[in-house]
Amino acid sequence: MKCFTSDPASEPASVLYARCTVDLGSGKTRYEDVPCRNLEDVLGGFGRSFQILAERDIRDAYCDANPLIVNTGLLTGSSAMTGLRTYFSGYSPIKESRKGLPAAIWSTGSGNFGAKFKWTGLDELIFENRSPEPVYALIRESVDGPVVELKPAGHLVGLSTHAKMMALQNEYGSNAHFAAIGQAGEQWENVYMGAVALSTDNQLKSGEDKMRFAGRGGMGSLMGYKNLLALVAQSSDKIKPLTAEVKKVNINVVKGGGSARLQPISRGGGGGTWAAYDVMQVFNAVPVNNFRPQGNDLPEKLFRENVEPQFVIKSEACFRCGITCHNNVHEKRGDGSAGRFLAKFDYEPLNLLGTNLGIHDAAQAASLIHLSDNYGMDSISLGVTVSYVLSYNERHPEQPLLNGARFGEYAGIRELVEQAGTGNLPEIGHGSKRLSESTGETSYAYHVKGLELPAYQPETNPGYAWAIAGGHMSMGTYGLLTREGKSDMDSWVEGITRTKLQIVGFDMIGLCKFFDITKGICTQMVVDCIKSEFDMDVTAEDLAAAVRRAFLRGLALELRQGYEKSEYTLPAEVWERPNQNIKLPNITSPEFIAELQKRVWEIFEPELEGLLPEIGQKGR
């Protein structure tokens, strides 16, 4: 990125970002320095890529005109804590309107791929069209600037995400990091929920499959359609010396704000995202058996304190990050030492491939997470779609779906995951929306606008309806009731339309949400990091305005892709069968939702005018 101004909010065109466009059909590459149109372009991530996607008329995700955009945020690869994020954007195979049109989506993950990508000298990479043969892309630094080359990938076909990365590491060594799809993404016709795995230093040094994921929205399947199996980012490390300003911010991130509760128990934290089990169980709000908490203590079997005696659990962090938010689970040897690595326990996959399937055994849950990761599937979409199958079978014991598996039947559930991951069960691979429409029983398919819900009860979060990507990642209302106790209409309207949408800004700037999960990026900490790293003067108000425009542009894109206002709602089972076991105020009655829709759209709709350009390139 080249900066010729200290005021990017007023003079965005004086900031240029480095883009390479690759025509996968011909193998041709084009390099250019692109002037930014606005502060969203400067910040990066989906704030930039959604403006590119808005220029195209895409009617089918699997068409050559649907680009795969890989980019970073302004602070990716910087010395700011958590600045590791890579973004993958396109029109989604899995998220679609009732009219059958794909929605624009982005997915993001950490690991060290994003920093390596940024250090090659590129800010953005756009893949156009489709390769006739399997390829991977090598992105490397050179004395003349970044270079992108396509390489034959026949030797990678059929390998898991982890195996692809290890094969590429053998070829490219310690200065490279990787993004790869698994067998699920290769089977893109039958799997719409393919994820992109991102390599970590821990993984490459240990040889264990400790990956991070850009999971939501099926960007791994879009890569598979394009016959692009992996990306290699090869560069020397270029992190700047830590300034006093950024050091102060990083200490604050580790010790204060929303990240303190994610620290290991030994440091006074809750033990990572896994601690959400304990928090939610207080209200009987841990999803069980397809989002139907039963008011019992079954979720407590997967509390960390009850799992730890059987396994060795290591609280670990991403590269250069002091927020030790995830837990790697190993077998425990007879002498108490760590044996074989089993899986990484984060709250979402542990719940949705565990408790929500009726699986309360940690080893079984770890096995399902391991399969999902290595096949390269979004654990949220996979788990929620499988839980729909189990719920249907519970309701129809005489005519069950697929193999007839029921809640808690590990062998049958594992078979469903294996068959889906290898492309042999499109009923699951195409997601819960399509499956429920085929059965005619849509009320207990737990998706919103075609994208499966994360592991928070929808009864506690009507804000999901306006999220423009994964529910808890792009609309921060998931704690408005459970943590803040807000059940009144005014608080929910304010949260959805003002304060809680700001969390989506993290998916522009390159920082993990745990940088300050309670406030979004519109803080003095982010202002100080931008000033220190780039000598740019940006105010918190500038950031807030850019985040709001980017969010509303995403909302406008949804409407242009055929979403109707009636689709901004929750699964109907929420009010058709109110769950009396959840110990929280019931705020999802039909009357509440109707009034919420009315008031939210009254605020949003006038602001959508003029956010999208006239459509140019078409693809069907």
Side-chain angles (χ1 to χ4, degrees):
M1 184 169 277
K2 299 175 181 177
C3 305
F4 301 102
T5 180
S6 61
D7 186 6
S10 299
E11 301 177 302
S14 295
V15 180
L16 289 75
Y17 65 90
R19 174 198 287 169
C20 177
T21 302
V22 179
D23 185 333
L24 289 167
S26 66
K28 294 180 179 179
T29 56
R30 183 175 77 253
Y31 302 88
E32 55 190 324
D33 288 328
V34 183
C36 292
R37 291 164 286 191
N38 44 41
L39 187 55
E40 296 94 287
D41 264 358
V42 176
L43 296 176
F46 93 93
R48 187 189 304 149
S49 60
F50 267 30
Q51 296 184 75
I52 299 169
L53 295 175
E55 297 169 348
R56 308 201 184 194
D57 180 14
I58 304 297
R59 303 303 178 99
D60 183 346
Y62 294 144
C63 73
D64 287 358
N66 184 14
L68 175 71
I69 304 169
V70 185
N71 64 18
T72 54
L74 183 63
L75 290 174
T76 300
S78 71
S79 58
M81 185 75 71
T82 82
L84 298 167
R85 307 292 268 181
T86 315
Y87 305 100
F88 298 80
S89 303
Y91 280 89
S92 171
I94 194 167
K95 183 185 175 186
E96 67 168 9
S97 65
R98 287 179 189 152
K99 292 185 179 179
L101 299 180
I105 198 76
W106 78 93
S107 191
T108 181
S110 292
N112 208 15
F113 175 84
K116 285 288 186 179
F117 177 94
K118 188 77 164 277
W119 294 336
T120 66
L122 274 186
D123 297 297
E124 187 164 83
L125 179 57
I126 301 179
F127 292 100
E128 302 279 11
N129 301 316
R130 186 176 185 230
S131 173
E133 301 293 337
V135 294
Y136 69 89
L138 170 63
I139 309 124
R140 61 179 176 85
E141 63 178 340
S142 77
V143 293
D144 298 316
V147 175
V148 180
E149 304 171 84
L150 297 180
K151 303 281 190 178
H155 62 299
L156 301 178
V157 173
L159 298 181
S160 71
T161 52
H162 177 62
K164 282 185 174 74
M165 291 178 181
M166 300 311 291
L168 290 167
Q169 186 195 26
N170 287 337
E171 189 170 350
Y172 291 99
S174 60
N175 259 356
H177 269 267
F178 315 99
I181 63 174
Q183 299 97 320
E186 292 179 32
Q187 299 297 323
W188 51 272
E189 291 176 290
N190 291 331
V191 183
Y192 294 173
M193 57 182 70
V196 183
L198 301 165
S199 62
T200 67
D201 282 70
N202 195 340
Q203 173 195 12
L204 299 182
K205 290 175 182 177
S206 69
E208 298 167 331
D209 47 338
K210 298 173 178 176
M211 301 164 282
R212 305 300 282 176
F213 288 88
R216 312 264 35 211
M219 292 299 94
S221 296
L222 181 57
M223 277 183 66
Y225 164 76
K226 290 182 174 293
N227 246 339
L228 179 65
L229 304 192
L231 310 175
V232 179
Q234 188 178 40
S235 71
S236 57
D237 289 356
K238 295 183 175 65
I239 190 166
K240 294 181 179 180
L242 189 64
T243 65
E245 293 81 7
V246 176
K247 181 178 180 180
K248 181 179 178 181
V249 168
N250 288 349
I251 291 171
N252 193 19
V253 169
V254 172
K255 294 187 175 181
S259 67
R261 63 184 176 82
L262 299 166
Q263 294 290 353
I265 295 170
S266 61
R267 296 185 207 161
T273 62
W274 193 350
Y277 260 93
D278 304 59
V279 174
M280 306 294 282
Q281 180 63 6
V282 172
F283 309 106
N284 286 339
V286 175
V288 177
N289 290 16
N290 197 36
F291 295 90
R292 298 300 293 178
Q294 298 167 11
N296 56 33
D297 61 0
L298 281 175
E300 296 176 21
K301 292 186 176 182
L302 285 179
F303 279 15
R304 177 172 178 151
E305 64 189 57
N306 294 325
V307 172
E308 199 151 23
Q310 308 165 56
F311 304 95
V312 173
I313 301 172
K314 298 182 180 181
S315 295
E316 296 182 324
C318 293
F319 179 66
R320 292 191 296 102
C321 182
I323 306 171
T324 312
C325 67
H326 60 272
N327 295 277
N328 289 323
V329 180
H330 298 252
E331 291 178 341
K332 182 180 286 187
R333 296 193 178 103
D335 62 1
S337 63
R340 182 173 62 96
F341 172 69
L342 297 177
K344 177 172 64 68
F345 275 13
D346 283 318
Y347 175 63
E348 304 296 336
L350 179 59
N351 178 266
L352 297 175
L353 291 172
T355 314
N356 203 41
L357 302 181
I359 299 291
H360 307 290
D361 179 277
Q364 292 177 352
S367 175
L368 298 177
I369 293 168
H370 178 267
L371 286 172
S372 175
D373 286 355
N374 279 273
Y375 284 133
M377 288 186 285
D378 175 24
S379 60
I380 295 177
S381 284
L382 173 64
V384 173
T385 306
V386 171
S387 71
Y388 175 83
V389 172
L390 306 181
S391 190
Y392 182 94
N393 291 346
E394 184 176 67
R395 288 166 164 81
H396 302 279
E398 303 305 318
Q399 292 184 309
L401 287 173
L402 306 177
N403 65 358
R406 303 283 290 273
F407 290 113
E409 294 180 356
Y410 170 71
I413 292 169
R414 181 185 173 97
E415 181 184 25
L416 293 177
V417 171
E418 290 174 336
Q419 291 297 305
T422 52
N424 293 308
L425 277 185
E427 297 90 340
I428 290 176
H430 289 173
S432 61
K433 176 181 181 289
R434 294 169 180 84
L435 179 56
S436 66
E437 288 171 347
S438 73
T439 66
E441 298 187 16
T442 59
S443 67
Y444 55 93
Y446 279 83
H447 68 85
V448 168
K449 296 180 290 186
L451 195 63
E452 286 73 19
L453 292 179
Y456 298 90
Q457 288 296 135
E459 290 94 333
T460 70
N461 189 8
Y464 277 145
W466 285 273
I468 58 173
H472 66 311
M473 304 304 284
S474 61
M475 177 58 73
T477 50
Y478 53 86
L480 194 54
L481 179 64
T482 56
R483 288 197 173 92
E484 299 179 38
K486 303 294 186 181
S487 60
D488 62 287
M489 180 65 65
D490 288 346
S491 293
W492 277 90
V493 172
E494 174 70 11
I496 292 168
T497 63
R498 302 289 178 192
T499 57
K500 302 302 183 181
L501 66 79
Q502 289 292 331
I503 194 174
V504 81
F506 283 113
D507 285 344
M508 300 165 66
I509 201 167
L511 299 173
C512 167
K513 289 176 176 61
F514 295 156
F515 184 88
D516 191 344
I517 198 168
T518 60
K519 297 177 183 176
I521 67 170
C522 309
T523 65
Q524 190 61 41
M525 291 199 302
V526 174
V527 169
D528 290 345
C529 287
I530 294 174
K531 176 65 174 177
S532 178
E533 293 286 318
F534 300 98
D535 197 26
M536 292 181 181
D537 294 309
V538 180
T539 67
E541 291 74 23
D542 292 333
L543 294 172
V547 171
R548 185 171 186 82
R549 286 192 301 269
F551 174 86
L552 290 171
R553 190 173 290 114
L555 205 59
L557 267 172
E558 287 185 340
L559 296 176
R560 197 178 75 182
Q561 290 301 101
Y563 281 105
E564 300 171 354
K565 291 179 182 177
S566 61
E567 293 180 74
Y568 291 79
T569 188
L570 299 175
E573 185 177 61
V574 167
W575 54 79
E576 290 177 357
R577 295 178 61 207
N579 192 332
Q580 303 302 320
N581 295 317
I582 299 175
K583 298 176 182 178
L584 288 163
N586 183 353
I587 60 170
T588 49
S589 67
E591 295 77 18
F592 187 97
I593 295 295
E595 179 66 15
L596 188 62
Q597 288 176 326
K598 175 178 176 292
R599 291 183 56 180
V600 167
W601 284 117
E602 284 175 349
I603 294 170
F604 278 152
E605 202 158 26
E607 298 184 56
L608 301 180
E609 187 69 28
L611 284 174
L612 301 183
E614 293 296 321
I615 296 176
Q617 186 174 347
K618 295 185 178 182
R620 299 181 184 277

